[in-house]
Amino acid sequence: MTDPVPPVQPPGAHLPDHPDFLWDDLGPRAFYDVVIVGGGGHGLATAYYLAKVHGITNVAVLEKGWLAGGNMARNTTIIRSNYLWDESSGIYEHSLKLWEGLEEDLGYPILFDQRGVLNLAHSLQDVRDSVRRVNANRLNGIDAEWLDPRGVKEVCPIVNISEDVRYPVLGATYQPRAGIAKHDYVAWGYARAAHEMGVDLIQNCEVTGIETVGGRVTAVETTRGRIAAGRVGLCAAGHSSILAAMAGIRLPLASHPLQALVSELLEPVHPTVVMSNAVHVYVSQAHKGELVMGAGIDSYNGYGQRGSFHIIERQMSAALELFPIFARAHLLRTWAGIVDVSPDASPIVGLTPVEGLYLNCGWGTGGFKATPGVGDCFAFTIAHDKPHALNEPFTLERFTTGALVDEHGAAAVAH
Amino acid sequence: MSATFRLPTGGLIDRDTALRFTFNGRSMTGHPGDTLASALLANGVHAIGTSVRYGRPRGIVAAGSEDPTSLVQIERPFPEPMLTATTVELHDGLVAYGLPGQGRLADEPDPARYDAKHVHCDVLVVGAGPAGLVAALTAARGGGRVVVVDEQDRAGGALLGTREYLGERLSQEWVADIVAELRGTPGVLVLDRTTAFGVYQDGFVLALQRRTDHLGFDAPADAARQRVWRIRARQTVLATGAHERPVVFADNDRPGIMLAGSARTFLHRYGVLPGTRAVVFTTNDSAYRAAIDLARAGLDVATVVDARPAAPSVLAARCSARGIEVRAGHVVTGTEGDARVTGVRIAPLPGADGTPETVDCDTLLVSGGWNPVVHLFSQARGMLRYDSGLGAFVPGEELPTVRVAGSATGALDLTSCLRQGRAAGLAAALAAGFAPVDEDELPVSGERTDEQPGTVMWRVPGEPRKGAPDTRFVDFQRDATVSDVLRATDAGLRSLEHVKRYTTIGTAHDQGKTSGMITAGLVAEELGVELSEQRPTTFRPPYTPVSFAALAGRDRGELHDPVRVTAQHPWHVARGALFEDVGQWKRPWYFPLPGEDMDTAVLRECRAAREGVALMDASTLGKIDLQGRDVGSFLDMLYTNKMSSLKVGRIRYGVMCGVDGMVIDDGTVIRLAEDRFLVTTTTGNAATVLDWMEEWLQTEWPHLDVYATSVTEHWATFPLVGPRARDVLAGIAPDLDVSNGAFGFMEWRDTVLDVGAGVPARVCRISFSGELAYEINVTAWHGLAVWEALMAAGERYGITPYGTETMHVLRAEKGYPIVGQETDATVTPQDLGMSWAVSKKKADFIGKRSFARAENTRPDRKQLVGLLPVDPQVRLPEGAQVVGTDRLPDPPVPMLGHVTSSYRSAALERTFALAVVRSGRERLGETLYVPVGDDLVPVTVTESVLYDKEGARRDG
Amino acid sequence: MQLIPCPWCGPREETEFHYGGQAHVAYPEDPAALTDEEWARYVFFRDNPSGPFAERWSHSAGCRRWFNAVRDTRTYDLLAVYRIGEPMPDLSERDEVVS
C-alpha cells in the first residue's frame, strides 16, 4: 500500500488557456497600405493600433521567423515607468496606463500583475540617484517611493538587507504599479486582435530589400516576393541596423546579446520584482512559480542569440548575494535575445529621411514594457506621417544636436 | 512493509547495509547504490506525487535524469526543490516527498560550499557508456590528456541496465577493466557523478560534479558539495546515449506505467522488479529483451503488445518459451486504475486480427523507440537531421572538434556503439595531435542486433470519448495532452515553437526530454508536413538542472568582488570609523566619537578642518604615473585645459571629457620632470581613466612617446587641512621650508619626514576645502607610520581625522563639484562653471568639438548653482527636484533641475545645497522651490561658492 | 567562454578581454572643420553588421594591449586578429566559408 498523496494544486501553476483560434497563417498579398517589418511585440501592437485607432486595416506584419519569436519570446517581462527623464517617463507611463487596460482591450488574459518593482541602491551615490528619480517620477505623476532597507524588507521579505554582504542594500525605489505580464499572451493578444480587424500576419517572410522611388518607399523585397507598400514601419529590434541599411540609413545602434534564465517552479517566495544595477541582476517570480532572471548585456556585438556563460555565473553570484534563499533553486534553461542598444539608452522612434519609412528601434533591454505605448505612438506616427508628441524627443537627429535622453548616466537603470 | 519487490540477488547495490529514509511521511529502507526511485520501487511505491494541473497521481517513468514524472522535494539533510527521484542517490536519513508541481526553497541559508575547477585536455569524452569508454581508452592509449565525465555514480552507461555479454565476459567486468586502465593512466581524469550540461565555443564544456550529496549527513562540511568543472578540450566526443521514447495513449500517466528499458535498468542495476504482473507495449525490438529479462527474474509478463504488423520471430519465440503471449498489430488503447495501473486495454490495429481486451496487471512497460541524446551536439551548433526510421533527430553533420559516438548517433546495437567509440576516439586523438597505438580487437556483443526495424508511432490512434477529458498525456509535468497539441494547430499555429508555448510542452523540469520529439511528430502529422522540414526546437543549456549556488561558486560575500582597503585601514577601524563603498574601496565615511550621530560627527570634523587641523586618508585616489617625451601634448588632448605648459614643480587641476563633451573625470596633474607627470583621478574612475589613456595611446596616437602606469596603491595620500596644517607639517618635515613664500599654492616639494629613520615624502600644496592644506604622499609601506606620526604631531592642535562626508561638505562650501555626484554624463565643464578650466587656445582636445553642438550652446542648459533654503535649518534631501512655482500644477510638473549635494554647514552656520538648475547662473537671487514630501521649500539661488569667496584662507 | 587569440599572448579566455567596438574609426584630423552631422557620425555611429566585423579588443587582464580582430557576429568565430597599425587581413575567401 502506498500513502495517498494529497492532490494539492499549486496556485498559478497552470496558466489560463489560450483561445481556440489565434490567426490564419497567410501568404502576402501584392500591396498593403502599411507594411510593418518585424512581427514582435512592437510590430504587432503597431498593427493593432493602426487598425483600431486609425482605421488602417490594409496592413501586413512581416516576420522572418515565427510570430513574436525574437525578443518578445525571450524577455523577462518587467513593466515599469519609473524612468528619470521627462521624455522617457512620458512614453513609458503612457505605456503603463495602456497596460492597465490592455487585458480588457485585447480580450486576452495577458496576466498583467502589478506586483511592484524595487530598484535597489547599494552605494551613497546610488541612493542620491534613486531619490532623484523618485522625486522626478512623482512630479511626473508616476507612483514612486523611496524605501529604506526595512521598507525593502517589508515589500520583499527575502531580500538580504544585512550589513555583512559585499554591497549592502541601502534602500530602493519602489513603483507599486509596476509589474510583469506573460509575454506570449501579450503578443498573441495583439496578433489575434489585429488579425480580427483585417491585418495579415505573414510568417517566414524575411525582408531582403527596401525599394524606394524618388526618396519615397514603394515596396519591400522579401523571401516571399515583392510586397508593395504605401508606408513601411520598421520594428525589428536587434536587426534594425541591417534593415535600415537597405534604405541607406545608418543607425547609431549596436546589437548585443542579452541573456536570461529561468528556474524550476517554486512555491511563492518573491512577491515583487527586484532589480539591482550595481550588482547586475534582476529577478521576479513568474506566474507559474519559476524565477526569471536577467543580467547585463554581453559586451560585444552579436547576432547569435547566444551569450557567454560567465555572465550567467556572475549573475548567479549577484543573485545569491541579494537572495541567499535561492541557493538551491535550479537553473533550468538559459537563452539570449539580441538587443539594439543606442548611445543614450533611449529609443529612436520617428520619421526617417526616406518618405513613408518609419523607424522604431534602439529600445535596448527595455522594449517589452514599452509595447503598448510605442505601438500606439508609432501607429500615430505612421498614420499621420508625423511623430506623436510622446516620441517626438526620440528622433535620430538628437545624436547630431546633442539633445540626448541619457538614461544610463543618471539612474543607471537601463532595463 | 518489507521490500517486497527487491530480488534476493542481483543489482549493483550493497545489500549488507540498510539505509533508512522517509518518503511522503513513510519510513522505508534501501541500500547503498540505490536511487530514491529504485528504493521506492523496491518498497512497492510507484505513486510519487500529483500532477500540476489535474492533480493526477504520477509515478516513475524512466530510470535516469530524463524521467518526466518523479519530482520530489528533499527536506533533509537540507531542503532542495524539485529533483527527480531517479537522480537522488539514497543515503541514510534522507527525507523527501513527492511534489505537486512546485518545489520549496529553504528558509534558512545553505551551509554548503560550492566551487569551480578548470581543466584542460586533449580529448573530453562525455558519457562513460560503452562508446564513451572505448573512445576514452583509445585516446588515452595514444598519450593524450583525457577527461571522461559521466552523470552516473559509476561508469557503464546503458550497460548498467542490461546483462549483456561482450565476447565471453559480462559487460560490467569489461567496464571495470577499462575504468581501471583509464584511472591508472597518467593524464586521464575520470569524473563520475558529473554531468556535462553545456557546450560552448572553442571546446569549452561545463560539467557539474555532485561531490557529497550521496553522503547525506556524513558529507564533510569543508568539502565543496558541488563543483562546476570548466573544461577546455581540443576535441570532444559526445557519447551521451539515447532516451527511450514513450507512446501516447489514453491514461498513459498512471503510476506503474514505465519505459521498458528503464524497468530493465531497475532490474539489473538495483535488483528491483517494477511490479508483479506486466503488459509490455512496444514499437520495436528492444522491449522484448526487457520483457524476457524481467520475466526471467520473476515478473509475470502477461503479454507483449507490438504495434508492428509482425513480431520479430526469434524474440517472439523466446517470449513464447517463457509463456509470454505476443500480440502483433496491437496497441494499448487505455489503462485502468487509480493510484496504480490495474489493467490495460488492448486492441488490434485496423487490419490486424484480434479483439479488444482488458488485461489485468500492475505494470505497463512501454517503448516507442529511442531518441539519441543530441542536446550537447545541438548546443555545439551541430545541425540535426530527422531520421524517419528512428523517429528522432540525429546529428546531421560532422563538426571539426565535436564527434558523436554510440547510441547518441542513433546506433541501436552494442557492437556498432563500440565501433563508433573506437572511431571517434581515434579521430579525436589524431585531431588533437596524437597517434594512437594499435588497438586490440573490440569485443562483440552477444546481444543480437534488431531483427526487425521499429515502427514510429507518436500516439495510438483513436479519440477520447466525446465530452470526456483527454488523458493522452504528451508532457506529464505540464499535464499537456494530444488535444492540447491539436488545439494549438487548430488555433492556426504552425511553428513548433508556437505549439510549445501554446501548450507549455517542454518547458518543465525535464525540458521535454521525452515529450519534445512526440510533440514534433504530432504537429507534423496533424499539419501533414514532413518532420525533416520541421526545425526542432532549440536545445538550450543546461542539459539537466544546475543549482544556482553551484554556478555562483565561491564568488559570494567577500569574494563577490574584491575589497580594497588602504594601508591605514586598521587604524580607521580601531578609531570607530564608518565606511563608505566607493567602487571596490572601503573609504572612511566619518569618525564618530562615542555617542555622536553622523551630523554631529561631521560638523565636528568640518569645524576642525576650518578652525584647527584635520587629516584625511585619500589614498584611494587614482594615481597614474606618465612618462615619456610626449606626455605634455598627450595630456593636452585628454584634459580640457593645457597641461604641457605646466612647469616642473607645479600642479594644475584638470577636467577630462568624453568625445561627447561630457565631464568624465577630474583631478590634479603634477609635473615631476620635463618628461614625467603624475595625475590623480577620482577613486571610482582610476581604472577607467587608465584604460581611457591606453586606448587613445595605443589605438589612435601610437606615435606618442608616453607610458602610463597605475601607482594608486604605491602611495598613501593624506590631505592635512586647516589653519594649523602648516604647523603640523613643519613639526614632521624639518627640512621643508613650509612658508607661503617658499612653498606656494599648487606647488609640490620632495622632502624627508621625521618619522622613524626618515620617510621620503612628496608634499603637494593643493586644497579641496579652500583651507590651507598639504597633501602628503609617502609610499604605502610607510603609510600607517606616517599617519600615526601626523596624528601625534597634530595632537596639540587637536588634529581630527575626517572621512568622505566631511570632505564632501568642505568642498561643497567652496562650490567644487564631485564627478558622479554633480555630474551624470549630461554635464559639461561649462555647466559646472568651469569655463576657466577649458582652454580657448588649444586647437583641439577630446570633447571640444561637441561643445559647439546646438544642444551645448543652448542658453537654458542646467548649470551648477548653490541653493540656500530660506529657512536656514531646513536641509534639502539630495536628489530633490527644483521647480519654479510656489504651487505645484497637476503632473507633469515642469522641473528645473535637482539638488546634487546638501549639507549642514558648520562654517556657514546653516544648511546649504548645490544643484544643477536650468539657466541657473541667470537666476542668482531668485527664489525657487523644492518639493519635499508634501511641502514646497523655498530656496534662494546663489553662486556655487558659498564660503571664502575671495579665497583668503588658502594660504593660511 | 570563447578563446580570443591575443596577437601578443596567444589564445586566452574572453573574460581577460575588453571589447572596444568597431575598428578603423580614426579620430578626425580636424574636428573643428566637421559639420555637426559629420561629428555625430564619428561620436555615435558605428557599423553593426551581421557577419564579419572588424573590431577592437584589449587584452585588459593580460598584456593590456589593444589589437584588432575580425569576428563574425553571427557565429562569434574570430576570423583574424592583427596588431594595431597592421592592415585588415583579406578575408574574402574565408568569408565565403562562414556566410
Side-chain angles (χ1 to χ4, degrees):
Chain A
M1 284 296 292
T2 57
D3 281 1
V5 181
V8 180
Q9 280 168 267
H14 188 77
L15 301 180
D17 282 332
H18 291 286
D20 287 335
F21 182 72
L22 289 170
W23 57 74
D24 293 304
D25 190 42
L26 299 171
R29 284 187 276 133
F31 169 80
Y32 292 94
D33 291 332
V34 178
V35 163
I36 303 293
V37 183
H42 286 201
L44 293 167
T46 302
Y48 169 77
Y49 293 109
L50 274 173
K52 185 191 165 209
V53 179
H54 306 284
I56 302 173
T57 57
N58 183 25
V59 175
V61 178
L62 309 185
E63 167 54 49
K64 73 170 184 166
W66 39 284
L67 227 47
N71 292 346
M72 194 65 180
R74 296 157 197 276
N75 71 84
T76 49
T77 78
I78 297 170
I79 295 164
R80 60 187 182 87
S81 65
N82 56 350
Y83 281 69
L84 174 68
W85 300 107
D86 301 347
E87 296 87 343
S88 315
S89 59
I91 194 159
Y92 285 111
E93 177 62 15
H94 176 58
S95 198
L96 181 52
K97 290 208 170 83
L98 289 175
W99 278 111
E100 287 171 327
L102 196 58
E103 181 146 330
E104 205 167 308
D105 195 10
L106 296 178
Y108 209 104
I110 60 162
L111 301 174
F112 179 44
D113 180 358
Q114 290 180 288
R115 57 177 61 186
V117 62
L118 291 167
N119 293 91
L120 302 182
H122 299 270
S123 71
L124 296 177
Q125 189 55 41
D126 268 357
V127 172
R128 286 186 275 266
D129 290 339
S130 302
V131 171
R132 174 186 177 193
R133 188 158 46 79
V134 163
N135 285 312
N137 290 161
R138 294 170 80 113
L139 293 172
N140 274 323
I142 292 166
D143 59 321
E145 294 168 39
W146 167 252
L147 301 179
D148 64 11
R150 207 172 308 160
V152 171
K153 190 96 182 158
E154 272 170 32
V155 172
C156 188
I158 58 171
V159 174
N160 183 9
I161 59 164
S162 69
E163 297 272 330
D164 59 355
V165 297
R166 179 64 184 89
Y167 293 110
V169 173
L170 302 184
T173 69
Y174 182 49
Q175 185 181 20
R177 285 164 62 238
I180 58 171
K182 187 72 184 141
H183 45 10
D184 295 331
Y185 287 66
V186 175
W188 296 1
Y190 273 119
R192 184 184 66 152
H195 184 62
E196 267 174 11
M197 289 184 285
V199 172
D200 284 0
L201 309 175
I202 299 158
Q203 305 180 82
N204 301 308
C205 182
E206 183 172 356
V207 170
T208 54
I210 295 174
E211 189 185 287
T212 59
V213 175
R216 175 167 186 93
V217 73
T218 49
V220 292
E221 297 289 345
T222 79
T223 49
R224 300 181 74 169
R226 178 181 181 274
I227 304 172
R231 294 173 186 195
V232 174
L234 302 183
C235 291
H239 293 86
S240 298
S241 299
I242 295 158
L243 280 165
M246 294 174 189
I249 299 167
R250 199 163 185 233
L251 298 178
L253 298 178
S255 294
H256 290 268
L258 173 68
Q259 301 186 71
L261 61 92
V262 69
S263 79
E264 72 268 68
L265 309 190
L266 298 164
E267 289 176 13
V269 290
H270 183 17
T272 182
V273 180
V274 171
M275 309 176 69
S276 166
N277 273 72
V279 299
H280 294 299
V281 71
Y282 47 96
V283 57
S284 69
Q285 187 170 18
H287 307 83
K288 297 203 298 280
E290 67 272 39
L291 298 171
V292 180
M293 235 184 250
I297 59 172
D298 281 74
S299 66
Y300 45 76
N301 288 34
Y303 286 85
Q305 292 188 332
R306 285 181 301 117
S308 303
F309 198 76
H310 68 265
I311 304 269
I312 304 262
E313 291 177 312
R314 185 75 192 153
Q315 172 184 352
M316 283 304 181
S317 63
L320 294 195
E321 284 285 281
L322 296 176
F323 303 100
I325 182 178
F326 291 169
R328 292 205 183 186
H330 301 98
L331 170 70
L332 230 57
R333 189 169 69 252
T334 60
W335 65 90
I338 308 166
V339 295
D340 43 332
V341 178
S342 73
D344 59 355
S346 284
I348 302 166
V349 186
L351 277 48
T352 70
V354 177
E355 210 184 322
L357 182 68
Y358 308 89
L359 202 54
N360 167 41
C361 59
W363 289 92
T365 59
F368 177 75
K369 67 179 75 67
T371 302
V374 75
D376 186 31
C377 293
F378 195 46
F380 179 99
T381 304
I382 295 170
H384 295 275
D385 190 37
K386 70 167 194 199
H388 187 284
L390 289 174
N391 60 269
E392 209 161 10
F394 298 107
T395 61
L396 192 51
E397 290 73 42
R398 72 179 187 272
F399 299 99
T400 301
T401 63
L404 305 189
V405 186
D406 197 318
E407 280 290 344
H408 40 40
V413 199
H415 298 294
Chain B
M1 188 163 68
S2 61
T4 48
F5 293 88
R6 181 86 68 186
L7 294 165
T9 58
L12 309 170
I13 51 168
D14 171 13
R15 289 165 190 274
D16 297 333
T17 307
L19 303 174
R20 285 160 305 149
F21 70 100
T22 305
F23 185 75
N24 283 349
R26 185 179 144 197
S27 294
M28 288 171 262
T29 59
H31 300 291
D34 263 328
T35 61
L36 176 57
S38 68
L40 287 170
L41 293 177
N43 284 278
V45 177
H46 275 253
I48 300 294
T50 50
S51 72
V52 73
R53 183 176 186 186
Y54 302 121
R56 291 171 67 98
R58 292 281 162 78
I60 297 164
V61 166
S65 61
E66 76 276 23
D67 182 40
T69 47
S70 67
L71 298 181
V72 297
Q73 167 79 30
I74 305 299
E75 278 302 305
R76 278 165 63 74
F78 190 85
E80 178 160 7
M82 205 172 286
L83 297 173
T84 49
T86 54
T87 60
V88 176
E89 289 187 49
L90 196 69
H91 60 77
D92 206 48
L94 177 74
V95 177
Y97 60 82
L99 279 180
Q102 288 178 337
R104 187 181 77 80
L105 292 169
D107 35 23
E108 65 211 283
D110 181 358
R113 300 175 64 159
Y114 300 83
D115 68 12
K117 205 162 169 172
H118 291 79
V119 61
H120 293 252
C121 62
D122 298 302
V123 178
L124 166 68
V125 178
V126 179
L133 286 174
V134 171
L137 192 65
T138 307
R141 284 183 177 169
R145 296 165 303 163
V146 175
V147 173
V148 185
V149 299
D150 188 276
E151 72 173 341
Q152 303 291 326
D153 65 336
R154 67 192 75 203
L159 297 177
L160 297 171
T162 65
R163 202 177 158 79
E164 281 178 71
Y165 279 84
L166 282 169
E168 303 287 293
R169 313 186 54 215
L170 195 58
S171 58
Q172 273 132 30
E173 294 166 15
W174 176 84
V175 167
D177 286 353
I178 294 186
V179 171
E181 182 177 341
L182 286 171
R183 287 197 194 276
T185 306
V188 175
L189 178 65
V190 180
L191 297 169
D192 45 30
R193 298 189 172 93
T194 305
T195 308
F197 65 82
V199 174
Y200 300 86
Q201 281 203 302
D202 300 320
F204 191 64
V205 176
L206 289 173
L208 179 77
Q209 183 182 27
R210 294 164 296 277
R211 300 177 72 234
T212 67
D213 284 344
H214 60 290
L215 302 174
F217 289 90
D218 296 333
D222 57 346
R225 175 184 173 236
Q226 298 183 341
R227 169 173 292 163
V228 172
W229 286 84
R230 299 174 180 158
I231 305 164
R232 179 77 68 180
R234 285 209 165 91
Q235 290 280 315
T236 299
V237 176
L238 299 175
T240 44
H243 291 151
E244 197 161 20
R245 185 171 65 234
V247 183
V248 177
F249 47 83
D251 294 309
N252 57 336
D253 63 329
R254 294 210 155 98
I257 303 176
M258 190 181 280
L259 289 163
S262 293
R264 198 181 181 203
T265 296
F266 282 116
L267 166 68
H268 292 301
R269 185 164 171 188
Y270 306 104
V272 170
L273 286 182
T276 50
R277 181 175 158 84
V279 170
V280 177
F281 175 33
T282 188
T283 63
N284 63 89
D285 285 3
S286 70
Y288 283 84
R289 283 187 278 275
I292 291 162
D293 283 4
L294 287 158
R296 186 190 289 149
L299 183 68
D300 175 8
V301 180
T303 176
V304 174
V305 179
D306 193 329
R308 295 173 292 183
S313 52
V314 175
L315 288 167
R318 284 175 63 191
C319 285
S320 303
R322 295 203 164 268
I324 305 171
E325 182 196 13
V326 175
R327 303 186 201 200
H330 279 63
V331 287
V332 167
T333 57
T335 69
E336 291 166 4
D338 186 10
R340 177 81 187 257
V341 63
T342 57
V344 172
R345 290 195 295 277
I346 297 165
L349 282 169
D353 292 335
T355 48
E357 189 189 339
T358 299
V359 178
D360 290 344
C361 63
D362 63 358
T363 305
L364 171 57
L365 305 180
V366 181
S367 177
W370 296 82
N371 295 332
V373 177
V374 293
H375 299 64
L376 298 182
F377 181 76
S378 174
Q379 286 180 24
R381 289 190 280 153
M383 292 281 289
L384 300 178
R385 170 178 67 79
Y386 179 67
D387 182 321
S388 59
L390 290 175
F393 286 102
V394 297
E397 64 171 336
E398 288 189 12
L399 299 178
T401 61
V402 180
R403 290 151 215 288
V404 189
S407 53
T409 67
L412 290 171
D413 67 289
L414 186 52
T415 306
S416 309
C417 289
L418 295 175
R419 269 196 219 116
Q420 289 186 358
R422 167 69 57 84
L426 197 63
L430 284 170
F434 296 87
V437 293
D438 282 347
E439 283 293 346
D440 330 329
E441 260 318 80
L442 282 173
V444 174
S445 166
E447 204 163 81
R448 297 176 55 112
T449 56
D450 281 10
E451 296 176 45
Q452 188 174 305
T455 185
V456 175
M457 175 178 276
W458 312 118
R459 60 163 170 141
V460 169
E463 300 303 323
R465 233 174 339 106
K466 226 182 155 69
D470 190 359
T471 57
R472 298 169 298 169
F473 290 96
V474 177
D475 186 322
F476 288 25
Q477 278 184 48
R478 297 302 314 149
D479 264 351
T481 65
V482 173
S483 296
D484 292 323
V485 174
L486 302 186
R487 268 190 77 227
T489 51
D490 286 349
L493 301 180
R494 296 294 173 265
S495 150
L496 200 50
E497 292 284 357
H498 276 152
V499 174
K500 176 177 155 185
R501 287 172 156 74
Y502 189 94
T503 58
T504 72
I505 287 172
T507 62
H509 187 266
D510 65 339
Q511 292 288 292
K513 289 193 181 68
T514 52
S515 59
M517 193 60 237
I518 292 175
T519 311
L522 290 175
V523 169
E525 218 168 65
E526 186 61 23
L527 299 179
V529 298
E530 290 298 319
L531 259 169
S532 50
E533 287 158 23
Q534 280 270 24
R535 242 181 67 183
T537 59
T538 316
F539 293 97
R540 300 180 195 284
Y543 169 63
T544 50
V546 181
S547 71
F548 284 15
L551 295 172
R554 300 287 296 274
D555 297 342
R556 297 169 62 183
E558 273 204 337
L559 297 180
H560 178 64
D561 204 23
V563 175
R564 298 172 79 184
V565 296
T566 70
Q568 296 66 244
H569 191 74
W571 191 95
H572 306 324
V573 173
R575 184 67 176 234
L578 276 79
F579 292 88
E580 175 188 1
D581 283 314
V582 182
Q584 293 171 325
W585 290 97
K586 295 277 181 198
R587 297 195 73 179
W589 189 13
Y590 58 99
F591 292 83
L593 295 176
E596 270 186 342
D597 62 8
M598 178 169 164
D599 272 7
T600 319
V602 171
L603 284 171
R604 174 179 52 73
E605 291 174 12
C606 286
R607 218 172 282 123
R610 294 253 182 255
E611 294 170 11
V613 63
L615 187 65
M616 182 186 191
D617 184 357
S619 307
T620 62
L621 280 182
K623 303 168 206 80
I624 300 168
D625 188 338
L626 291 143
Q627 301 186 40
R629 265 192 329 273
D630 301 316
V631 176
S633 42
F634 175 59
L635 293 180
D636 280 350
M637 280 304 289
L638 235 57
Y639 287 92
T640 58
N641 39 0
K642 202 164 172 74
M643 293 301 174
S644 55
S645 59
L646 187 64
K647 294 193 168 45
V648 174
R650 306 278 308 190
I651 305 172
R652 190 166 286 163
Y653 170 79
V655 179
M656 218 178 259
C657 291
V659 284
D660 62 356
M662 301 302 158
V663 173
I664 56 172
D665 205 57
D666 69 344
T668 53
V669 176
I670 82 176
R671 190 161 202 167
L672 298 172
E674 274 307 310
D675 60 353
R676 188 170 184 191
F677 290 69
L678 186 90
V679 310
T680 65
T681 74
T682 57
T683 296
N685 277 345
T688 313
V689 171
L690 182 64
D691 287 347
W692 182 241
M693 291 177 170
E694 286 292 349
E695 181 177 341
W696 287 101
L697 282 172
Q698 293 186 34
T699 68
E700 204 58 51
W701 304 311
H703 58 281
L704 292 183
D705 181 44
V706 177
Y707 298 87
T709 308
S710 168
V711 293
T712 299
E713 275 153 323
H714 302 38
W715 294 95
T717 300
F718 308 139
L720 177 69
V721 177
R724 310 309 297 263
R726 184 171 282 132
D727 301 322
V728 177
L729 181 61
I732 197 173
D735 301 341
L736 188 66
D737 182 349
V738 297
S739 67
N740 197 43
F743 188 1
F745 188 59
M746 296 308 260
E747 293 178 357
W748 61 271
R749 298 285 182 270
D750 280 344
T751 187
V752 176
L753 301 181
D754 182 18
V755 175
V759 174
R762 176 173 301 135
V763 181
C764 301
R765 246 203 85 188
I766 54 178
S767 176
F768 198 39
S769 57
E771 296 298 322
L772 172 67
Y774 299 89
E775 186 193 81
I776 297 159
N777 295 277
V778 297
T779 62
W781 181 252
H782 292 114
L784 184 54
V786 169
W787 174 274
E788 285 173 342
L790 282 163
M791 287 302 295
E795 194 175 356
R796 52 197 283 222
Y797 307 107
I799 192 167
T800 301
Y802 70 97
T804 52
E805 189 66 18
T806 290
M807 178 264 280
H808 281 198
V809 178
L810 297 173
R811 62 87 208 181
E813 289 167 345
K814 290 291 292 176
Y816 298 149
I818 287 187
V819 173
Q821 182 162 350
E822 269 66 39
T823 70
D824 62 2
T826 69
V827 176
T828 65
Q830 296 86 348
D831 298 340
L832 293 172
M834 288 192 169
S835 297
W836 57 267
V838 179
S839 167
K840 309 272 185 303
K841 292 181 196 148
K842 289 195 290 184
D844 192 25
F845 54 84
I846 294 170
K848 180 180 169 79
R849 174 63 185 83
S850 289
F851 296 153
R853 295 177 305 180
E855 190 64 18
N856 290 66
T857 51
R858 278 170 69 136
D860 63 342
R861 285 187 66 82
K862 289 180 184 170
Q863 294 161 334
L864 183 69
V865 291
L867 296 181
L868 292 176
V870 172
D871 176 346
Q873 292 311 311
V874 170
R875 181 169 151 193
L876 302 170
E878 290 173 344
Q881 296 287 331
V882 180
V883 301
T885 52
D886 62 357
R887 195 167 289 173
L888 286 184
D890 284 338
V893 178
M895 288 170 256
L896 298 174
H898 75 282
V899 174
T900 56
S901 300
S902 174
Y903 309 99
R904 206 172 287 287
S905 165
L908 303 173
E909 297 182 321
R910 58 159 301 137
T911 59
F912 74 104
L914 296 179
V916 288
V917 173
R918 200 161 284 291
S919 309
R921 285 197 290 274
E922 286 170 23
R923 294 179 187 271
L924 302 187
E926 265 184 44
T927 301
L928 297 176
Y929 299 87
V930 175
V932 178
D934 294 331
D935 297 331
L936 271 180
V937 177
V939 296
T940 308
V941 181
T942 72
E943 49 185 311
S944 54
V945 186
L946 290 157
Y947 182 72
D948 184 31
K949 285 178 192 167
E950 45 297 324
R953 305 188 58 83
R954 156 194 112 178
D955 295 331
Chain C
M1 179 89 75
Q2 261 189 283
L3 289 180
I4 296 177
C6 169
W8 303 94
C9 306
R12 295 289 187 275
E13 301 214 325
E14 71 176 274
T15 47
E16 294 184 18
F17 294 84
H18 171 82
Y19 184 63
Q22 186 179 355
H24 309 297
V25 181
Y27 186 78
E29 287 275 321
D30 182 8
L34 301 183
T35 64
D36 281 358
E37 198 170 357
E38 287 164 340
W39 177 244
R41 297 261 151 199
Y42 167 72
V43 176
F44 294 119
F45 289 69
R46 294 292 180 272
D47 291 345
N48 187 25
S50 169
F53 186 33
E55 54 195 19
R56 306 182 309 160
W57 288 84
S58 156
H59 192 190
S60 48
C63 65
R64 296 188 58 76
R65 294 220 216 192
W66 284 85
F67 59 93
N68 292 328
V70 181
R71 195 179 54 100
D72 189 315
T73 60
R74 293 162 299 183
T75 61
Y76 307 167
D77 289 338
L78 281 142
L79 309 178
V81 293
Y82 51 106
R83 297 176 183 183
I84 299 288
E86 292 177 353
M88 184 170 130
D90 179 14
L91 293 167
S92 44
E93 278 178 33
R94 197 76 201 266
D95 188 16
E96 280 177 18
V97 177
V98 299
S99 56

